[in-house]
Amino acid sequence: MAHFIQGRLLMLDTETDAPDPDEAHLIEAAAVVVRPGRPRDELVWLAQPRRPIPDEAVGVHEITTERATAEGRPILAVLAGLGDVLAGWGPDCPLLGHNINYDLTVLDRELGRHLGQALEIRGPVIDTFLLDKCLDMWRPGSRQLGDTAKHYRIKLDRAHAAAADALASGQIAWRMAVTRNWPQGRWGPSPIEREARQLVARGDAAALDAAQRRWFRITQLELAEYFRTPKAIEAIERKVAEGRMTRERADQTIAELPSSADRVEAGAENGWPVRPRVGVPA
């Protein structure tokens, strides 16, 4: 069986107006289609906003309400375009992305809002964010796309431009597949690291998809446990000391840690690749 990076691939990324995928509205989406022996196709959709885009979101992707209003297309047209591309996703064409659990949940919620539909899972999903956590569990630092790309020596000039981010996820997956000198740690790789490294090297997308469902549950439960420890507060305080978070935002985040832990724990079961709909707002 050929490695999944040697066949057809569909890479996806979205930019939105909120960090919570249940509440987020789609602002920009991009799909990159790769077929062996053919130039890659890059498709980008900018959606007209259904509400003002917050300054915090603009600071991430630099898409203002004014620009999206002037240049964007109606959300139904964007969803139709995405649907046409996602029709190519299937058993022989995995869908890749970095933290794609977020992107697919956003699409599911938008389909529910505007068409009364749920996102259909057509084939294997490869999440380089989840894979990175399982391949190299104890590496310190951020796992965000820009930092992960830098770690895997991927040049990312336009972070938070959806097309560039989508392509970067495929490039990271390729680096993962060809890496052989993974850190061993003092006592050798953990069981999850050992399994992840074997499966990524083998490149069976269906087996990886099934494994990621288990790994997601394990890593989410570990995250919920972490939120309940003093280490979570210490990490937030470091961000304040380093100027990466305001005092007001830090106090709010600390106050929300118990509820965040409960939410993460509740979503650990059957939460990948799309989070279940529970009390989803319109």
Side-chain angles (χ1 to χ4, degrees):
M1 177 182 293
H3 199 290
F4 72 84
I5 62 171
Q6 298 174 338
R8 291 189 300 142
L9 296 174
L10 175 58
M11 290 158 272
L12 178 72
D13 186 72
T14 65
E15 301 297 338
T16 70
D17 65 359
D20 185 337
D22 284 329
E23 300 176 356
H25 286 192
L26 185 65
I27 300 300
E28 184 182 47
V32 179
V33 184
V34 174
R35 306 175 186 88
R38 297 176 59 179
R40 68 174 181 261
D41 293 328
E42 296 186 10
L43 302 101
V44 181
W45 299 268
L46 183 64
Q48 292 175 345
R50 281 79 73 204
R51 60 190 181 190
I53 302 173
D55 291 341
E56 186 175 0
V58 174
V60 173
H61 49 60
E62 299 182 352
I63 301 173
T64 63
T65 303
E66 293 74 20
R67 178 190 163 196
T69 300
E71 302 177 15
R73 302 176 63 191
I75 186 61
L76 289 178
V78 172
L79 293 175
L82 278 167
D84 290 342
V85 174
L86 290 176
W89 169 25
D92 297 323
C93 182
L95 181 65
L96 275 73
H98 194 77
N99 197 20
I100 200 168
N101 175 256
Y102 175 86
D103 303 292
L104 294 184
T105 301
V106 168
L107 291 184
D108 176 77
R109 303 311 190 250
E110 290 285 38
L111 287 169
R113 287 187 193 104
H114 300 286
L115 296 172
Q117 299 174 0
L119 180 68
E120 179 183 358
I121 305 302
R122 298 172 174 269
V125 176
I126 308 294
D127 187 343
T128 53
F129 175 75
L130 179 57
L131 286 185
D132 184 47
K133 290 199 294 184
C134 295
L135 288 163
D136 192 1
M137 297 183 71
W138 310 116
R139 188 178 80 245
S142 168
R143 306 274 180 168
Q144 293 183 359
L145 179 61
D147 298 301
T148 305
K150 184 177 180 180
H151 175 75
Y152 287 98
R153 305 186 307 282
I154 302 299
K155 187 176 182 180
L156 182 58
D157 291 329
R158 299 181 63 237
H160 297 297
D165 287 359
L167 180 60
S169 69
Q171 295 171 323
I172 290 170
W174 182 85
R175 288 284 193 189
M176 290 175 168
V178 301
T179 296
R180 296 294 179 266
N181 58 334
W182 294 103
Q184 296 301 306
R186 182 177 299 177
W187 298 282
S190 69
I192 286 182
E193 286 177 323
R194 188 177 295 110
E195 182 185 19
R197 293 169 189 182
Q198 291 172 348
L199 288 177
V200 168
R202 188 188 311 163
D204 183 333
L208 262 177
D209 180 281
Q212 285 171 110
R213 295 173 190 270
R214 290 187 285 106
W215 299 338
F216 178 83
R217 177 181 181 277
I218 293 170
T219 57
Q220 289 298 101
L221 291 177
E222 289 176 345
L223 179 61
E225 183 179 353
Y226 167 77
F227 282 160
R228 297 185 174 109
T229 68
K231 290 183 179 180
I233 298 175
E234 292 169 4
I236 295 168
E237 294 293 353
R238 280 198 299 273
K239 290 182 179 180
V240 175
E242 295 168 359
R244 295 186 291 128
M245 181 179 284
T246 65
R247 180 73 262 168
E248 181 181 6
R249 177 59 177 157
D251 290 342
Q252 179 183 352
T253 303
I254 291 170
E256 293 173 351
L257 281 174
S259 60
S260 296
D262 292 343
R263 184 174 62 254
V264 169
E265 188 173 61
E269 294 288 347
N270 302 315
W272 193 91
V274 177
R275 304 181 195 183
R277 296 181 181 183
V278 180
V280 175

